[in-house]
Each structure stands twice: as C-alpha cells, then as structure tokens.
Amino acid sequence: MRWTSLEEAGKSGIMSRSARLLDLIQLLRRHRRPVSGRTLAGEMGISIRTLYRDIATLQGQGAPIEGEAGLGYVLRPGFMLPPLMFTDEEIEAIVLGSRWVAKQPDSRLSAAATDALAKIAAVLPDDLREELDASTLLVGPAAGAVEGIDLSLVRQAIRNERKLGFLYRDAGGAASERMVWPFALGFFDKVRVVVAWCEARQDFRHFRADRISGLNATDVRYPRRRQALLREWRTTLDTPRSPPGG
C-alpha cells in the first residue's frame, strides 16, 4: 500500500490508522523538546482522545516516546522506524541528493551516498524500487576542480571538534600557515569551502579547499562546541565581512 501523507489524507478525508501513526512519529521527530498532546493533536488534525490512543499504541509497539498527558511528549533520539513507504517526491529527493553527492570529489562521501541509496532500495517494495531506479532527475557532470587534500579528514575534524593546521594560499598566491577550528564544510559546484574560526585572524574565515595544502589533522580539541560556533557564525552572515578566501 502506498504511503499516504497527512496533507493528502486530509484532502481525501481518508487516513488509515497505520499511516496516521507514521505521521505522528515523523511529527514527534521534528520536535526536539517535549510538546503537548493538544499541540500534536492540532497539527495532526485529530481529537486529543485519538492522540492519546495513538501515543499509547506506539509506546506499546516499542516506540521510545516519553511523557504523559499534561506534561508533553518527546521521542527519544536514535529510534529507527521499520521500512517506510515514500511519496514520489520523497523518492525523487532521495535519488537526486544521492546522485549529486556521489559526484563530489570527496571519494568516501561519494561512496557512502551510493551505498545509502542501495540500502534504501533494498527495503522498498517492488513498485517503489522501480520508481527509484527509473528516476528521471539527473545530475550534470562534476566540475573539473579537484582538491589536493582529503576532505574526509576535514569532516572527521568537524565531527570530533579537533583543530586543523594547514598552509593556505589566498587569491593572490600569498601563503600563510593557519590553525583553525573547523565546524562546517560547504559544497558548491566548483569548490568546497571550509568554514572555521581562525586563530591567526581571531575571526571566522572561509577557506577554499583547493587552496589548502599540508593538511595536519591534530588530536587537539578546540575549546568551543561546533554547534555554538555554527550559531554564532550564522549571526554574522548579514554583517559585512572580508570575502571568502581566508
């Protein structure tokens, strides 16, 4: 049976209970903090009594939903749903995104995208697997620029909140040694950009990966959490700053 989205079900006036339960799980996933039953019922378009029954059903089936009536509910992180149905547009989004990542110069990330798509295909019903294989949304050829560094080391440093050292050449060719706190990696058509706090400049800087050499992945943890750096950096985006390039 094809997945019926909440919106589609509302338009048709028909919603199977299994589809409603899956929609409730997805809704809880979007809320990182406890949310009241009345709020959930309102977003689902169901009565509060039905909401409480659905919560109890999911809890009985093993979903780690914590909370109770009057206090709010939250889905504990890490819960894995059984194989889901997807809408046509969800399949297109999955395929298009995976195909784009598969053409990036980060070889390990590229292979991971291909493997992830294969895993998704393996758990889909036959009809949806055919739609996934036959997707007509294509990704153009990859840009010719290739970095001289291993981007997987940059991604690992971001995950582990470790400092990176490297030699950087600006647009004019001037070289300088940098020690940075990387917290994001931007993927563009022709370049990849490391977003980091630069110890030399005592400010946020953007470093084109194709201008980085001598990458040194250290074991030194930088003193702030990457989420905090990311939030602070985002607040600076509307403020005039030096152009990308370090």
Side-chain angles (χ1 to χ4, degrees), residues 83-220:
L84 293 177
M85 301 295 190
F86 292 96
T87 65
D88 292 338
E89 288 186 341
E90 287 170 343
I91 288 177
E92 290 178 339
I94 291 169
V95 173
L96 185 61
S98 298
R99 286 176 176 173
W100 186 83
V101 174
K103 291 197 174 185
Q104 294 302 306
D106 186 330
S107 59
R108 295 183 64 178
L109 197 62
S110 173
T114 302
D115 291 344
L117 193 58
K119 289 179 180 178
I120 292 172
V123 299
L124 288 177
D126 291 340
D127 61 333
L128 292 183
R129 188 181 303 116
E130 290 177 2
E131 291 186 24
L132 185 147
D133 292 336
S135 175
T136 55
L137 299 184
L138 307 177
V139 177
V146 177
E147 286 78 20
I149 61 172
D150 185 350
L151 290 177
S152 68
L153 296 178
V154 177
R155 291 189 287 105
Q156 184 175 12
I158 291 172
R159 284 196 302 270
N160 297 334
E161 300 179 339
R162 296 298 191 266
K163 295 183 180 183
L164 284 176
F166 51 77
L167 184 70
Y168 191 73
R169 295 186 180 277
D170 63 20
S176 59
E177 293 186 358
R178 304 297 181 98
M179 183 64 68
V180 304
W181 310 349
F183 58 86
L185 182 60
F187 286 79
F188 299 88
D189 286 340
K190 296 183 178 180
V191 298
R192 266 50 59 189
V193 176
V194 180
V195 186
W197 175 267
C198 178
E199 292 185 352
R201 301 293 186 262
Q202 286 294 294
D203 201 355
F204 295 111
R205 284 292 187 269
H206 309 99
F207 300 94
R208 285 180 46 155
D210 58 343
R211 295 177 183 170
I212 294 175
S213 61
L215 184 67
N216 175 30
T218 78
D219 290 327
V220 181

Side-chain angles (χ1 to χ4, degrees), residues 66-83:
E66 299 177 346
E68 58 185 75
L71 297 178
Y73 298 93
V74 65
L75 181 66
R76 195 164 64 237
F79 175 61
M80 298 297 293
L81 285 172

